[in-house]
Amino acid sequence: MTRILAFESSCDETGVAIVEDGTKIIANHIISQIDIHREYGGVVPEIASRKHTEVISQMTQKVLAEHEGRIDAIAATRGPGLMGSLLVGLSFAKALAYSWNIPFVPVHHLEGHIFSVFLNDSTAEFPALALLVSGGHTSLIGCAAAHDYEILGSTRDDAVGECFDKVARLLKLSYPGGPSIQAAAETGNASAITFPRGLAKSNDLDFSYSGLKTAVLYAIRDDPGLLTNDVAASFQEAAVDVLLLKTKKALAQTRAPRLFVAGGVAANTLLRARLSEEIDVPVHMPALDLCIDNAAMIGAAAHSRFVHGMLGDISCTPEPGMTLA
Ligand code: KG4
Ligand code: ZN
């Protein structure tokens, strides 16, 4: 049995967790700064790093109080993310590992999202195709084995979560945009407006979401009488449609035996429902609260790295632009 104490602080959520053997959550605490950043319409990096500093020590004490026995290693997100935010979690984790004299495991944030599907799901395994949809990323990733990834397609401009956030702002809905658009769409007509499906006809597996955002801008500018809920529902339909289309194309090309879906946008109910209905290989999606940024997923990825001897040390520094493959 291996227990890892893990930290996530790449953006505006401080996460501290203890994960056993990469799958079992012993403790998992998240403090979100969403209410603080909401008034600015997005994350303010300087405020984010200060808030991480304020809470990380007490959160760690609380998490440690919830378990008995030894901790075998400490993990933290190394990148990608905001430099100041990453620095807080990574430095805290390294210092603790150094003073306890146990291994330190740096983790790529997106690898954490990929491994979030292993939490409480004993049937998930590699190889797989991963659809990673978050505020900063929209990618289809071939996962031949743990730590063996190939980016098959990515967004050429905005990420899908970023597009939800920007469209919510256009519609005067609250930040973050994903949940507020989803809520508005529930009572809207998804066929009210036909929005463009970016790169739907291209042969590659890339995405483009900036045209969709602009189409929403023009639609509400040209017809101020449009109902917000109809625009939200039509937008969500278009955004999710492209994810399905490209994922099906990637599954056909790679013949991957299963699909992992992760990242904040994986919490979207329309996306989850359509994936369950339309994808004919097993689909593994984390529970809703494990889709958004959390430290349990970092602990899950760190367990595999720990087992494979992929450790870091005290010299490890944050990498805000860290690449996965
Ligand atoms: O993975 P995450 O917590 O942070 C990043 O690594 O980016 O993802 C946050 C993103 C935000 O853009 C948010 O609007 C989106 O996930 N999101 C959703 C939903 N819940 C969160 N998008 C669509 N539908 C949702 N229910
Ligand atoms: Zn994330």
Side-chain angles (χ1 to χ4, degrees):
M1 183 188 81
T2 305
R3 280 191 175 181
I4 295 185
L5 173 65
F7 294 88
E8 156 61 35
S9 71
S10 64
C11 191
D12 60 342
E13 264 105 18
T14 320
V16 186
I18 296 174
V19 177
E20 188 177 295
D21 294 335
T23 57
K24 187 175 168 198
I25 298 173
I26 305 298
N28 186 27
H29 288 263
I30 300 166
I31 290 188
S32 171
Q33 306 173 4
I34 279 177
D35 291 338
I36 297 160
H37 298 288
R38 183 171 283 130
E39 67 174 292
Y40 305 99
V43 178
V44 184
E46 182 60 29
I47 297 176
S49 47
R50 285 184 199 195
K51 292 290 160 193
H52 288 307
T53 312
E54 281 171 24
V55 300
I56 198 163
S57 178
Q58 276 181 7
M59 285 178 77
T60 307
Q61 284 173 13
K62 203 171 158 195
V63 164
L64 288 174
E66 283 177 29
H67 102 116
E68 284 171 4
R70 68 165 207 279
I71 296 287
D72 299 282
I74 297 185
T77 306
R78 182 180 187 190
L82 302 169
M83 177 51 127
S85 293
L86 290 167
L87 196 57
V88 177
L90 194 75
S91 307
F92 193 88
K94 277 193 311 182
L96 212 50
Y98 184 70
S99 66
W100 289 356
N101 198 21
I102 59 175
F104 170 68
V105 189
V107 173
H108 190 289
H109 181 78
L110 296 189
E111 182 167 69
H113 277 300
I114 291 172
F115 272 84
S116 67
V117 304
F118 289 87
L119 293 166
N120 303 329
D121 179 357
S122 57
T123 64
E125 58 178 330
F126 292 109
L129 173 74
L131 171 66
L132 227 143
V133 280
S134 73
H137 296 88
T138 311
S139 302
L140 282 161
I141 303 167
C143 311
H147 323 299
D148 181 0
Y149 311 116
E150 185 188 0
I151 311 282
L152 305 172
S154 284
T155 182
R156 295 185 188 172
D157 39 59
D158 292 350
V160 59
E162 180 184 2
C163 189
F164 269 88
D165 295 334
K166 287 178 174 171
V167 167
R169 211 179 307 168
L170 293 175
L171 296 176
K172 301 193 169 50
L173 297 170
S174 65
Y175 171 84
S180 54
I181 286 187
Q182 178 177 304
E186 269 171 31
T187 52
N189 174 8
S191 328
I193 310 148
T194 306
F195 284 124
R197 272 67 170 156
L199 298 181
K201 295 204 171 70
S202 76
N203 279 328
D204 55 38
L205 298 171
D206 283 347
F207 300 88
S208 169
Y209 276 99
S210 71
L212 175 55
K213 169 197 65 193
T214 309
V216 174
L217 174 72
Y218 290 160
I220 55 180
R221 185 196 64 186
D222 296 345
D223 185 355
L226 283 175
L227 297 175
T228 297
N229 294 11
D230 286 351
V231 180
S234 303
F235 159 76
Q236 183 177 245
E237 190 73 27
V240 167
D241 224 24
V242 189
L243 294 178
L244 263 293
L245 197 130
K246 294 281 176 164
T247 301
K248 287 176 190 171
K249 198 178 267 185
L251 281 169
Q253 277 181 21
T254 60
R255 298 178 188 277
R258 57 190 68 79
L259 176 68
F260 295 170
V261 189
V265 183
N268 185 270
T269 44
L270 178 67
L271 177 63
R272 291 174 89 90
R274 285 196 56 187
L275 286 166
S276 303
E277 279 165 26
E278 298 176 35
I279 300 294
D280 49 20
V281 295
V283 181
H284 299 271
M285 298 180 268
L288 289 183
D289 60 331
L290 297 172
C291 290
I292 54 159
D293 291 347
N294 64 85
M297 68 186 197
I298 302 302
H303 175 261
S304 178
R305 291 203 158 250
F306 179 77
V307 168
H308 287 89
M310 302 163 92
L311 307 176
D313 61 36
I314 197 83
S315 66
C316 178
T317 51
E319 235 186 272
M322 194 173 177
T323 52
L324 181 67

